[in-house]
Amino acid sequence: MAGEELRSLADRAVAEIGAAVDEAALEAARVRYLGRKDGALTEATKRIGSLPAAEKPAYGAAVNEAKRRIEAAVEERSGALRTATVARELAGEHVDATLPPRRVRLGRLHPVTQTMRDVSRIFATLGFETVEGPEIEWDYYAFEALNIPAGHPAREKWQTLWISNPLGDDPARPMLGRPHTSPMQVRVMEQRKPPIRVVIPGRCYRYEATDAIRESIFFQYEGLAIDEKLTMSDLKGTLYAFARQVFGSDRKIRFRVDYFPFTEPSAEIAFDCFACEGKDPHCRVCGGDGWIEAAGCGMVHPDVLRRVGYDPKRYQGFAFGGGLERLAMLRTGAPDIRLFYQNDLRFLEQF
Ligand code: PHE
């Protein structure tokens, strides 16, 4: 093959390559001319060896020139096809630069968690440390150590969810989902020496039907202070200070005599009804009473102190315990406790 023939071979190749309609056609053309096995140009290259020495340089140069042109044509066509593909894809896509950006949705704390943290923070300003304790509890801490032995009528106040003991059912040591956080009073006193000032938020369980103000799984916060010379006025002052920080000075608080086996004297704390302010005799929240019971409290019973080895002549203390969701309801105005646990974002996103 002379130089002339190589030129026309290259012309044909460049034309075919330029006409390739897609990547596959281009690749077929490339193989036809540059393919290692029997591409036309590869064949021509092989012949160099059999030529007389005088012809080799000119022929070699012609082969190289043909190869360069064909390779350049492949490169160019390949680029053109890629550009066309991208252009086609872009034409199929509709980019609307005027659309508003997608909103980043930030999470937030659940209103009950917010309330729990606020309770801890407020009591911290009054010198109370936050501690936590077990949700699954021994009968001893939930009742016995709190002056509520088996068969005591007061047990009916805490509708109990008994559970089978994971350590092996021992009828002498029944276990339960704690129906209140008061067992932690005993555990803390067992572990520490006075002075004590702790607040204990935590989940509680009761075997109860739910309604607008009751859930069978709910949160309480418990407070305990033990020191020399503590009196009922320390209890009242502490709870007034707390209520003022939570609700501002507008909300009214009522202390009324109550009964708990583990405090003496005992009192019930109620806040005036945020929903009807005492004006609706059929109010779903307060039942027309105008007051919402928010917490129980009292001076720690001497027998409870004695049981943990404290001398009641030297040490006195006060304790209180209330429902966290009720606080959350008072703060948010939510009329039904069940709203907190339905996981409806339309509700939760408001807080
Ligand atoms: N634990 C009691 C309840 O669940 C409340 C309480 C706590 C009362 C501390 C007195 C002292 O009703």
Side-chain angles (χ1 to χ4, degrees):
M1 213 190 303
E4 195 53 44
E5 282 171 61
L6 277 167
R7 243 192 314 282
S8 64
L9 174 76
D11 287 345
R12 236 181 312 133
V14 169
E16 270 176 46
I17 287 164
V21 292
D22 56 21
E23 305 271 350
L26 174 62
E27 178 60 8
R30 192 191 65 79
V31 169
R32 210 155 37 246
Y33 293 98
L34 299 175
R36 260 185 220 200
K37 254 184 130 186
D38 36 34
L41 211 70
T42 314
E43 295 294 307
T45 312
K46 280 184 200 150
R47 279 175 45 206
I48 297 179
S50 60
L51 289 176
E55 287 175 27
K56 276 186 189 172
Y59 187 79
V63 168
N64 281 343
E65 170 61 12
K67 195 170 170 198
R68 195 197 51 74
R69 283 182 58 204
I70 297 172
E71 281 174 351
V74 168
E75 190 71 14
E76 197 196 308
R77 187 65 191 152
S78 165
L81 286 174
R82 252 199 316 275
T83 308
T85 306
V86 171
R88 225 181 2 261
E89 278 172 8
L90 281 182
E93 258 175 38
H94 301 286
V95 177
D96 182 349
T98 66
L99 279 176
R102 237 167 257 177
R103 196 156 57 97
V104 176
R105 287 161 67 94
L106 283 184
R108 68 192 74 196
L109 293 175
H110 190 280
V112 172
T113 306
Q114 289 179 28
T115 304
M116 185 175 352
R117 293 197 180 180
D118 287 344
V119 166
S120 286
R121 190 177 42 74
I122 292 168
F123 278 111
T125 69
L126 301 170
F128 285 73
E129 176 195 345
T130 294
V131 299
E132 288 183 295
E135 290 175 22
I136 301 301
E137 191 49 284
W138 299 109
D139 175 86
Y140 175 78
Y141 289 106
F143 293 127
E144 297 273 336
L146 295 169
N147 292 340
I148 320 170
H152 193 293
R155 286 209 177 202
E156 277 164 35
K157 213 169 162 148
W158 295 276
Q159 298 295 324
T160 308
L161 271 165
W162 298 98
I163 64 160
S164 54
N165 186 344
L167 307 175
D169 269 317
D170 175 357
R173 301 196 74 197
M175 291 200 100
L176 44 98
R178 64 178 175 195
H180 54 171
T181 42
S182 297
M184 277 303 289
Q185 289 183 31
V186 181
R187 284 182 179 274
V188 168
M189 285 190 283
E190 278 179 354
Q191 286 160 17
R192 302 184 181 201
K193 286 193 164 55
I196 290 172
R197 269 185 286 181
V198 290
V199 61
I200 307 120
R203 198 179 264 116
C204 300
Y205 303 83
R206 286 193 197 170
Y207 186 61
E208 262 187 338
T210 67
D211 61 23
I213 55 169
R214 254 175 290 264
E215 267 284 7
S216 54
I217 300 178
F218 60 101
F219 282 86
Q220 281 194 341
Y221 57 100
E222 187 87 11
L224 175 71
I226 306 281
D227 208 339
E228 296 179 21
K229 305 192 184 75
L230 278 183
T231 69
M232 193 86 183
S233 64
D234 295 303
L235 164 62
K236 289 182 81 174
T238 301
L239 289 171
Y240 271 123
F242 170 67
R244 272 196 296 270
Q245 285 202 56
V246 181
F247 302 116
S249 40
D250 294 351
R251 188 106 280 148
K252 297 192 202 84
I253 318 175
R254 183 187 69 185
F255 282 87
R256 272 207 320 202
V257 172
D258 201 345
Y259 167 73
F260 297 100
F262 41 96
T263 45
E264 183 59 36
S266 303
E268 165 223 279
I269 307 156
F271 298 108
D272 61 327
C273 180
F274 63 89
C276 74
E277 294 182 324
K279 292 180 193 125
D280 178 2
H282 307 293
C283 178
R284 277 176 72 200
V285 176
C286 67
D289 182 47
W291 294 93
I292 302 165
E293 289 175 30
C297 65
M299 301 305 290
V300 178
H301 196 289
D303 286 347
V304 174
L305 294 174
R306 254 189 294 272
R307 209 172 278 115
V308 296
Y310 291 1
D311 175 3
K313 291 220 173 63
R314 180 163 174 210
Y315 294 113
Q316 303 80 40
F318 62 81
F320 52 89
L324 256 184
E325 289 88 350
R326 293 209 188 173
L327 278 190
M329 287 169 77
L330 287 162
R331 298 169 82 219
T332 60
D336 193 316
I337 190 173
R338 290 166 292 196
L339 287 166
F340 289 119
Y341 300 116
Q342 284 163 350
N343 279 337
D344 187 333
L345 287 180
R346 289 170 302 179
F347 172 75
L348 295 175
E349 276 178 346
Q350 296 175 45
F351 312 109

